[in-house]
């Protein structure tokens, strides 16, 4: 395949370097210094977005969220038949694809991989090894474009999780936005205890605050782009914590929360064995089958040339 | 020194094994299988609490919290002049020492070290390496007993943090009780997202939920023994999270929380260099000097035979 990667930061750079092992990749970044770093690392660097995407089979948009609408507009003038992205919130990008007139060839994407580092210098093809990578399935998604994107993603060693942008953003609020806000609130509560609390803080505080070490503008963007789903999730967590506080004040117990939390953590860290299944790309029920697979916690692990999808889902 | 260690679980076993390198240690545990394990590991095992403590210079109580009052009552009949403990909440133990009539020789203690494992089989002298170890200074604490306990603790390679039981429990609520409750609430929020959220959860969820993997009864006890301090701290955190939720719902920003959390995490992970100072055990202002040292985030690192205390505190 010919692939364009627009935006060569941590994720875009890692994707471009990983894909360049097996595909013809052209990259571009708005930052001249980044383009130089990428060229020095052996990547083919295009003149502009259009130059990268014209003639490509797939274009991957990996810019900061604020730049995505303009990049999609630029891509709308190219002949590239499949456009995807790597942003951590999918609703706004889906809307931007509609505005840019590229909804018919757009497949929202999100690789669940990252570090606290940023920029092409931190890019590492191994960052993606074995990661879950969401590719969004909407009612109007062109399934041949989706399968083409899935072929590219599984080729990087990632597992494609199919779900709607709405389901992704709801899950993302729970497993990324919420942990970032809790980490920040915990860090603040520790700091409010002054030097003594700081001196005594050990493992539980260290792990609970780790992601508060990410850049504040990235944390804020992650939360604010997904504001409505995150606000709903936060309501539930605030109610649960307020209930625990009330119980403590009344001489009651927090055993129910501790037990539920322990069970949930165990279930996550010891997942059920996966069971293999196949889906045929041309089948009439593919859209529903893919959404069912994702909701069940399953994923696509390989795409055959004839479009057959090799999948796995948790056994019961 | 002759040292008694009553309770040979994870912490008591680690303490006994570490002290046995340089002191004459007699251990005891209510559980016969634990006593056998300890004896097989080369520890001297006493017949009962009194047998362990009679003639000892210091007795360390390392039983589960519920057993502490009875052990302190048993110790009250012995001639051991310095009694200390390793419990994670200090107010209730201080009260129990008063009820048992041993307040004059009791120094509350808490080594800030642990793992999710339990029992003598998990005991490891290295668990204590370089850890902060609180020794409580109250208005009526016998300072010669305190210095004796500090001599023992610094001899294990730990740094003694002096503070009141009240200050300890307030800090403990912030840096241990709160992270455990937040981890449980986050794990539950993730589980409420079903298999899709579980499939997508990665680093921020993993770290944010780690301590929810501890045994629920331990988490509940940690929180409930420290209920009033923890309820107060939780109020502040709940208010902060509710405010963030309101901002997200109103199209506002969570940048202030992200910035404050980031700064707090950085300040914790990059502490100020420590400055050395000395305190004389016989000085009239020792009680106030110790409390000042602890509040400032400082600690005692060595005790000379004449009682001189080698201390360090964060530079300004």
């Amino acid at each position: 395949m010919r692939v364009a990667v627009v935006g060569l930061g941590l994720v875009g750079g890692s994707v471009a370097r990983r894909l360049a092992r097996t595909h013809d990749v052209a990259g571009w970044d708005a930052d001249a210094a980044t383009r130089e770093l990428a060229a020095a690392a052996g990547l083919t660097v295009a003149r502009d977005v259009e130059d990268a995407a014209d003639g490509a089979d797939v274009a991957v948009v990996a810019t900061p969220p604020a730049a995505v609408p303009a990049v999609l507009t630029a891509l709308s003038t190219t002949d590239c038949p499949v456009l995807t992205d790597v942003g951590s919130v999918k609703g706004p990008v889906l809307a931007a694809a509609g505005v840019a007139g590229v909804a018919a060839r757009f497949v929202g994407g999100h690789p669940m991989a990252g570090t606290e580092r940023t920029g092409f210098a931190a890019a590492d093809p191994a960052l993606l090894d074995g990661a879950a990578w969401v590719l969004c399935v909407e009612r109007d998604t062109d399934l041949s474009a989706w399968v083409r994107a899935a072929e590219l993603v599984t080729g990087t060693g990632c597992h494609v999780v199919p779900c709607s942008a709405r389901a992704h953003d709801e899950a993302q609020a729970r497993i990324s936005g919420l942990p970032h806000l809790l980490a920040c609130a915990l860090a603040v509560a520790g700091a409010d205890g002054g030097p003594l609390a700081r001196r005594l803080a050990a493992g539980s505080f260290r792990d609970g605050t780790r992601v508060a070490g990410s850049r504040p503008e990235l944390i804020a963007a992650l939360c604010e782009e997904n504001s409505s789903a995150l606000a709903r999730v936060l309501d539930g967590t605030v109610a649960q914590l307020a209930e625990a506080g009330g119980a403590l004040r009344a001489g009651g117990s927090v055993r129910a929360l501790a037990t539920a939390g322990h069970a949930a953590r165990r279930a996550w860290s010891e997942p059920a064995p996966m069971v293999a299944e196949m889906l045929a790309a041309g089948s009439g029920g593919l859209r529903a089958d893919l959404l069912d697979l994702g909701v069940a916690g399953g994923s696509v692990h390989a795409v055959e040339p004839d479009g057959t999808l090799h999948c796995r889902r948790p056994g019961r």
Side-chain angles (χ1 to χ4, degrees), chain A:
Chain A
M1 279 196 226
R2 279 194 57 191
V3 185
V5 180
V6 180
L8 297 170
L10 172 74
V11 176
S14 299
V15 168
R17 294 183 62 180
R18 178 67 184 78
L19 290 173
R21 291 181 186 166
T22 44
H23 297 289
D24 177 11
V25 173
W28 188 78
D29 195 282
D31 177 60
T34 297
R35 292 197 299 272
E36 277 175 35
L37 276 175
L43 278 182
T44 301
V45 175
R47 287 191 312 276
D48 52 29
V49 173
E50 293 83 349
D51 180 44
D54 264 322
D57 296 292
V58 180
V60 181
V61 181
T63 63
V68 169
V71 171
L72 289 175
T73 299
L75 289 170
S76 71
T77 66
T78 71
D79 61 5
C80 182
V82 181
L83 312 179
T84 185
D85 79 313
V86 299
S88 60
V89 187
K90 303 273 47 89
V93 185
L94 194 65
V99 170
V102 296
R105 42 181 164 151
F106 183 75
V107 178
H110 183 206
M112 311 303 288
T115 76
E116 280 128 63
R117 302 175 63 202
T118 52
F120 186 85
D124 176 4
L127 183 71
L128 303 164
D129 285 351
W133 187 319
V134 167
L135 287 178
C136 290
V137 178
E138 310 300 330
R139 268 178 298 189
D140 58 354
T141 298
D142 173 359
L143 290 177
S144 64
W146 193 95
V147 170
R148 195 79 166 136
E151 189 182 347
L152 188 73
V153 165
T154 54
T156 64
C158 291
H159 310 151
V160 173
V161 176
C163 64
S164 68
R166 188 183 171 84
H168 168 277
D169 289 354
E170 156 89 19
Q172 173 74 357
R174 296 181 181 279
I175 55 95
S176 180
L178 183 61
H180 279 84
L181 287 182
L182 295 182
C184 289
L186 176 58
V188 168
D192 286 349
L196 175 63
R198 188 181 299 162
R199 182 75 180 80
L200 298 182
S204 65
F205 184 80
R206 179 192 61 231
D207 287 359
T209 59
R210 183 184 62 83
V211 292
S214 299
R215 283 161 52 202
E217 59 271 27
L218 295 184
I219 297 174
L222 179 81
C223 296
E224 292 162 16
E225 285 165 42
N226 199 15
S227 57
S228 60
L230 183 53
R232 276 196 307 278
V233 168
L234 204 47
D235 281 348
T237 300
V238 164
Q240 202 159 32
L241 293 172
E243 189 184 330
L248 290 171
R249 193 161 270 123
S253 177
V254 296
R255 186 68 177 267
L257 176 56
T259 301
H262 180 79
R265 165 74 188 185
R266 284 284 292 268
W268 179 76
S269 62
E270 298 168 5
M274 302 290 260
V275 176
E277 70 179 36
M278 311 270 265
L279 294 175
S283 78
L286 182 61
R287 191 180 312 271
D289 287 344
L290 286 173
L291 289 170
D292 177 68
L293 179 69
V295 164
S299 44
V300 179
H301 290 236
V303 180
E304 286 187 26
D306 72 355
T308 301
L309 305 171
H310 292 256
C311 311
R312 292 182 207 153
R313 73 166 72 213
R316 268 138 228 184

